[in-house]
Amino acid sequence: MEGNKRWVSGDLQHPDRDPNRRQFVAQEQEPFGAILSCIDSRVPPELLFDTGLGDLYVMRTGGEAVGPVVTGSVEYGPMTSDTPLIVVLGHQRCGAVKAAYTSLRDGKPLPGNLQAIVRALQPAYEQAVREGGADPVETMARAQVTLTAADLRSNQDLTPLVRKGALAVVGAYYSLDTGKVEVLAGAPS
Ligand SMILES: [Zn+2]
């Protein structure tokens, strides 16, 4: 979050990005967080948290859609090397969420493998329909974050780590307009 403050203000440090750092992490890595975010070209976690080499595991899928391979990749750090933090990061004006919302609302499947993303986002769509709100796509994007973070927090692999305080699973939301990351759920106390 400190790195995100620097991103918002423009006062960037670009940490961990020199040849010394490259050599330091060449044999072993110890990232402090695992981030699941969207493929959107405007939401690269390393930039918007002002981090560098070896700092983060990063998974990116359309609308932070998950399936077994993605979930396994998110779990890899926490389960094998005590990574203490998972962040599910959604964002403003998410094209994947918007496309899934429209597809489900109109009952028109998307072509090919895109439909797999729509299926993965269906629970968030249903929650957004229940919640309503001025901008249902925005509601759905936030629901996708909180549902995905809650699913990770309560799955059989990660629950033991969360219970003993070794892992926090945080849901967060990124504003394209301001560059600011807002924590939605699961912030460690
Ligand atoms: Zn997106």
Side-chain angles (χ1 to χ4, degrees), residues 38 40 63-64 91 94-96:
C38 182
D40 194 293
E64 313 88 62
H91 69 99
C94 180

Side-chain angles (χ1 to χ4, degrees), residues 118-183:
V118 175
R119 276 195 298 273
L121 295 181
Q122 185 153 5
Y125 171 79
E126 286 163 5
Q127 181 165 318
V129 169
R130 282 195 302 273
E131 282 183 16
D135 184 342
V137 174
E138 216 58 20
T139 304
M140 179 173 162
R142 287 168 184 264
Q144 168 61 5
V145 167
T146 51
L147 287 174
T148 303
D151 283 350
L152 288 167
R153 208 177 291 123
S154 61
N155 84 17
Q156 60 178 1
D157 297 325
L158 298 178
T159 293
L161 299 174
V162 173
R163 283 221 178 109
K164 71 177 183 185
L167 172 68
V169 183
V170 175
Y173 198 75
Y174 177 71
S175 165
L176 295 180
D177 292 336
T178 66
K180 195 171 185 327
V181 171
E182 166 196 356
V183 172

